[in-house]
Amino acid sequence: MSSLPNCPKCSSEYTYEDGLLFVCPVCAYEWTAESETNSLEDEKVIKDSNGNVLTDGDTVSVIKDLKVKGTSSVIKIGTKVKNIRLVGGDHDIDCKIDGFGAMKLKSEFVKKV
Ligand SMILES: [Zn+2]
């Protein structure tokens, strides 16, 4: 008896193996065994607006005025952001900005200091 993993997307148990891939016929999701452990995504390289590679703990500065979602505040161009933390997703930098608190930024709007 083979034990196939349930679909990570819709949790269906009707999955099957197709070579190196697992396939879910219910939602058409395909994945590989390795992607089950999401550790590989930590390897993703995140670059600033100049193409410099960013790492956790870097200090960056903001290259354009950024509106803070849900408020009337604006993070001014040139604002220094210390000790950034890289995360996945659309806004790939997690940080704290003096006077604003915890927030997420896009790497394309910052440059390494
Ligand atoms: Zn599925």
Side-chain angles (χ1 to χ4, degrees):
M1 223 176 107
S2 68
S3 62
L4 291 168
N6 287 358
C7 173
K9 215 169 184 186
C10 71
S11 300
S12 159
E13 54 190 278
Y14 302 107
T15 55
Y16 61 90
E17 247 175 317
D18 183 12
L20 291 172
L21 286 176
F22 293 114
V23 183
C24 171
V26 178
C27 69
Y29 187 64
E30 296 179 350
W31 72 103
T32 59
E34 288 98 280
S35 69
E36 273 186 292
T37 66
N38 284 321
S39 62
L40 286 177
E41 295 189 11
D42 295 340
E43 306 289 321
K44 201 179 122 195
V45 174
I46 295 176
K47 292 178 180 171
D48 72 1
S49 55
N50 292 328
N52 294 313
V53 175
L54 297 171
T55 50
D56 284 356
D58 273 353
T59 299
V60 297
S61 76
V62 175
I63 60 162
K64 61 172 262 184
D65 288 353
L66 298 173
K67 278 211 175 122
V68 182
K69 223 180 186 177
T71 76
S72 56
S73 307
V74 173
I75 299 171
K76 291 278 183 205
I77 183 169
T79 301
K80 287 232 168 72
V81 184
K82 284 180 196 161
N83 200 16
I84 61 168
R85 205 167 65 80
L86 300 176
V87 294
D90 180 34
H91 289 65
D92 41 21
I93 297 174
D94 227 356
C95 61
K96 264 191 186 159
I97 300 179
D98 291 343
F100 292 97
M103 106 152 43
K104 287 196 158 134
L105 296 174
K106 289 188 180 188
S107 54
E108 64 195 274
F109 296 139
V110 302
K111 67 174 184 203
K112 203 165 169 172
V113 179

